[in-house]
Amino acid sequence: MIRTLAIALALAAPAWASEEIADQYPQSVLYSKPVEYFPGVYSAIGATAPPTYENSGHNNNLSFIVTGEGVVVINGGAAYVLAEALHKEIQAITDQPVKLVFNENGQGHAMLGNAYWSELGIPIIAHSEAAAEFEEYGPQILQGMQRYNQDKADGTFLAGPTETFDDEYVVEMGEFRIEAKYLGPAHSPGDISIWLPNQSLVIAGDMAFHERMLPIFQDTYTADWLETWDTEFEALDATYVIPGHGHPTNMDQVRRYTRDYLIYLRGKIQEHMDAGGDLAEAYYVDQSPYANLDTFEELATKNAGRVFEQMEFE
């Protein structure tokens, strides 16, 4: 009953998320306590705000699957202390050992916590492009985390994945078939989604957003992301979605705030370009239908500028 209620509330109540809440779990460096949203599938939902000292860099979802034969963790965490805190929560829930860690991409909040897991000798899996991204930019990523996390950065060192894949990495463990999939170009290099076909549940990573505005990076190619969404992500036909940021939800919700947002913004930029508008004005195209999303103020103008720069050369 509790699990069913957790799922129902998560699917129906995106208003839970608020970037105004500095910390929802003061007893821990984790931003929130892990919740079992589906039998055996837990997630500690991160802040929908940018990373800060108050949220310890826990502004993404740290998920894990209790399979019956061991625990599979999805995301290393943004710092050694976050990974350690997540492990303590896992140990309070089950005696099953952590057997595998997946990194959803090469960003700091997916990989910096590998420092902790690597000391335990646990295999860490990521896409080859994510591993290359972390190897190239790891020192800058670590320095950025050290600036905002200060003493909470203690103990964190660079530890990349121990194994990589290009298309799919499948694990049969206990009651779960776990399929780590690279569906194609999306938010950042090497983004993967964890598909649980027997549960019709996808731990989508940064393929899908809904409570906070998605960020468009220099290497985020929105046309490619839309193609990946339409040809691969939709084909999963998932009933339940745990996104990279924000509470578990369904496909309708993430479609509205990811795919539809990208289509909307590209449409507005195309109108602006057709009218002879330049980059300076492109930053201010109307994005008011999405102003309810957390991080709108931080990201909307940047997103518009980057889409303009991309579409100039499409």
Side-chain angles (χ1 to χ4, degrees):
M1 173 66 75
I2 292 174
R3 293 179 201 146
T4 305
L5 179 61
I7 295 168
L9 289 173
L11 296 181
W16 275 8
S18 172
E19 62 183 330
E20 302 302 318
I21 303 172
D23 185 13
Q24 294 184 342
Y25 191 25
Q27 307 95 304
S28 169
V29 292
L30 291 171
Y31 178 77
S32 69
K33 185 178 178 66
V35 171
E36 187 177 17
Y37 286 102
F38 195 95
V41 182
Y42 295 75
S43 194
I45 306 300
T48 51
T52 64
Y53 183 81
E54 288 72 23
N55 63 40
S56 309
H58 182 195
N59 74 330
N60 64 329
N61 294 341
L62 304 178
S63 302
F64 58 92
I65 305 166
V66 180
T67 71
E69 294 181 357
V71 178
V72 175
V73 172
I74 297 94
N75 276 329
Y80 186 104
V81 295
L82 275 176
E84 183 178 38
L86 183 68
H87 196 196
K88 288 179 180 177
E89 297 289 338
I90 293 170
Q91 290 171 320
I93 290 166
T94 180
D95 293 332
Q96 297 172 39
V98 174
K99 290 192 173 180
L100 202 63
V101 174
F102 283 104
N103 296 151
E104 288 180 343
N105 52 45
Q107 296 175 47
H109 54 206
M111 284 200 181
L112 287 175
N114 289 351
Y116 173 80
W117 303 110
S118 68
E119 287 188 342
L120 301 179
I122 296 169
I124 302 168
I125 314 300
H127 188 266
S128 56
E129 289 183 11
E133 187 85 354
F134 190 71
E135 183 175 3
E136 181 174 358
Y137 298 107
Q140 297 100 297
I141 293 171
L142 176 59
Q143 290 167 13
M145 188 276 289
Q146 289 169 333
R147 280 194 294 272
Y148 72 74
N149 241 353
Q150 303 170 47
D151 59 296
K152 294 180 184 178
D154 291 351
T156 305
F157 57 88
L158 296 177
T162 60
E163 189 175 345
T164 63
F165 69 96
D166 290 327
D167 298 315
E168 185 178 68
Y169 188 102
V170 178
V171 178
E172 297 271 5
M173 193 179 294
E175 302 171 3
F176 288 83
R177 177 178 173 86
I178 301 167
E179 301 178 2
K181 291 178 171 290
Y182 176 69
L183 299 174
H187 174 254
S188 62
D191 275 326
I192 63 170
S193 296
I194 308 298
W195 172 232
L196 308 180
N198 297 335
Q199 290 73 28
S200 191
L201 185 153
V202 62
I203 303 173
D206 283 351
M207 174 64 68
F209 290 73
H210 74 114
E211 290 176 342
R212 60 159 290 182
M213 174 161 277
L214 63 87
I216 296 173
F217 297 154
Q218 291 286 359
D219 53 5
T220 304
Y221 298 104
T222 55
D224 293 345
W225 190 348
L226 284 167
E227 182 178 357
T228 299
W229 185 287
D230 288 341
T231 61
E232 301 294 336
F233 189 61
E234 287 282 355
L236 296 177
D237 194 25
T239 304
Y240 308 104
V241 181
I242 299 178
H245 304 261
H247 290 85
T249 185
N250 53 43
M251 283 296 295
D252 286 345
Q253 191 77 353
V254 293
R255 185 185 299 113
R256 176 183 178 187
Y257 289 110
T258 305
R259 178 186 181 273
D260 293 357
Y261 168 68
L262 293 172
I263 291 172
Y264 173 88
L265 181 56
R266 286 175 59 85
K268 286 294 181 182
I269 293 297
Q270 187 63 61
E271 290 175 8
H272 178 69
M273 293 172 66
D274 290 346
D278 61 12
L279 174 60
E281 298 165 329
Y283 289 110
Y284 304 104
V285 298
D286 178 30
Q287 297 186 58
S288 58
Y290 298 91
N292 61 304
L293 294 173
D294 285 353
T295 66
F296 177 86
E297 295 296 331
E298 293 90 346
L299 296 174
T301 55
K302 293 177 184 177
N303 286 355
R306 286 178 177 147
V307 169
F308 180 93
E309 291 171 339
Q310 289 175 14
M311 293 182 67
E312 274 191 307
F313 297 98
E314 288 182 358

